[in-house]
Amino acid sequence: MSTPYASAAPYYARYRPPYPAEFYELLADRFALDGSQTVLDLGAGPGPITLALAPLADQVYAVDPEPAMLAEGSRLAEQRGLTNTSWLACDAAGIGRLCLPRIDLCVIGRAFHLMDRTRVAAELDGVLAPRGGIVLVDSVARPDVPHPPWAAVAEEVCARFLGSGHGSPADWDDVDRSGEPDAQGTEGTEGTVGVEGSEDHLAKSPFSRVETLTWDQRLRHTAEQVAGLLLSRLSSAPALFGDRRAAFESELRQALLEHDPGGAYVRTVRVRAVIATRPRP
């Protein structure tokens, strides 16, 4: 039987909105990405960051504990003709065992809060180049913007199939592993999700020069994309629906189109990037 993580992989790869171009421009500028660097995408999932950075780097290593996520990313890399990506099944605690070459940049998207953050930062200190750094990135609903009415419609349909607490519109952009034991057996720490709360951990690490930047991103979805977003999450992954998945998708599309026959569902998210580097000598 497919696990929630495995069954969500193709939906995650297809329906999660990409980070904005400004994020990758920031990485290229701060870390002088010119096609000669080696990059680590830690907690890569199906590799949206890996695939976006591959044209800017010499080699990108995508590391994740879920083989199905890596298989999806590898398939997409082959489809796009990207030959400079490597897909490695490993938890964050095993970075040192991978025997990676010197890394110029480590990017962690929506996963650092799931790791033993102190240990991971110490492990990365052993593999990152002197001028290298760690960049955390996520996207969350803006707290000052009300959730759009269509999101409540989608949440209601999801709850009808799976029970309350599934598909909350506040967290569609996260993998929703908070509170779940990670591959190291470590609980999600302090209940924080994404990059929020991680700055303090990095400030006490070898990468103590910490800066946070944000962008607002306006996203426009079709009914199909709303369904795909919900199915990309652990709390509402396809495996949880069993043979009722097709019925869920059909009812969701119908409910959304009844709510707004125009079929355009808009929301605004805040993208947050935390850049952590070693102190200057």
Side-chain angles (χ1 to χ4, degrees):
M1 179 178 177
S2 178
T3 67
Y5 286 116
S7 68
Y11 292 90
Y12 192 108
R14 181 174 180 181
Y15 291 106
R16 289 298 179 100
Y19 290 116
E22 292 93 331
F23 171 64
Y24 295 103
E25 290 167 2
L26 171 71
L27 295 183
D29 178 61
R30 292 295 181 89
F31 296 94
L33 301 183
D34 60 5
S36 64
Q37 289 77 19
T38 302
V39 177
L40 171 63
D41 182 3
L42 189 57
I49 293 173
T50 294
L51 299 173
L53 284 177
L56 303 175
D58 177 58
Q59 183 72 29
V60 185
Y61 292 93
V63 174
D64 195 272
E66 173 53 62
M69 289 283 186
L70 294 170
E72 185 66 22
S74 179
R75 182 188 69 79
L76 291 171
E78 183 177 0
Q79 185 181 84
R80 299 179 190 185
L82 299 172
T83 59
N84 62 335
T85 61
S86 298
W87 305 83
L88 307 175
C90 183
D91 60 59
I95 300 169
R97 298 194 300 270
L98 291 175
C99 298
L100 297 172
R102 184 65 70 181
I103 301 296
D104 298 294
L105 168 65
C106 174
V107 184
I108 305 174
R110 304 186 179 107
F112 195 48
H113 66 289
L114 306 170
M115 304 171 185
D116 182 335
R117 292 180 278 195
T118 301
R119 179 176 178 179
V120 168
E123 292 271 357
L124 289 172
D125 188 35
V127 299
L128 279 166
R131 293 185 178 275
I134 303 170
V135 177
L136 314 180
V137 62
D138 70 5
S139 58
V140 295
R142 277 186 49 178
D144 56 333
V145 175
H147 296 306
W150 63 261
V153 173
E155 182 182 12
E156 189 279 327
V157 175
C158 194
R160 196 187 313 152
F161 279 80
L162 297 178
S164 60
H166 293 267
S168 167
D171 56 13
W172 283 1
D173 294 291
D174 283 315
V175 178
D176 190 31
R177 302 178 194 174
S178 55
E180 290 287 327
D182 70 4
Q184 307 159 119
T186 303
E187 295 289 336
T189 49
E190 290 96 43
T192 58
V193 176
V195 304
E196 187 176 358
S198 293
E199 294 95 333
D200 289 343
H201 286 266
L202 290 171
K204 297 172 185 176
S205 79
F207 304 91
S208 57
R209 292 181 65 231
V210 179
E211 178 185 3
T212 301
L213 296 92
T214 63
W215 303 268
D216 284 346
Q217 187 176 20
R218 186 174 172 83
L219 300 172
R220 187 182 181 92
H221 306 297
T222 64
E224 178 191 357
Q225 289 168 337
V226 172
L229 278 169
L230 284 168
L231 291 168
S232 77
R233 294 183 45 76
L234 179 62
S235 63
S236 49
L240 300 178
F241 291 92
D243 59 7
R244 304 177 71 206
R245 180 182 56 80
F248 161 70
E249 292 187 70
S250 177
E251 287 193 28
L252 177 60
R253 284 193 293 267
Q254 181 178 348
L256 288 170
L257 290 171
E258 287 176 358
H259 171 76
D260 181 355
Y265 309 98
V266 178
R267 63 193 176 108
T268 299
V269 298
R270 178 152 292 169
V271 179
R272 305 177 297 194
V274 175
I275 303 170
T277 54
R278 297 182 181 93
R280 290 175 179 165

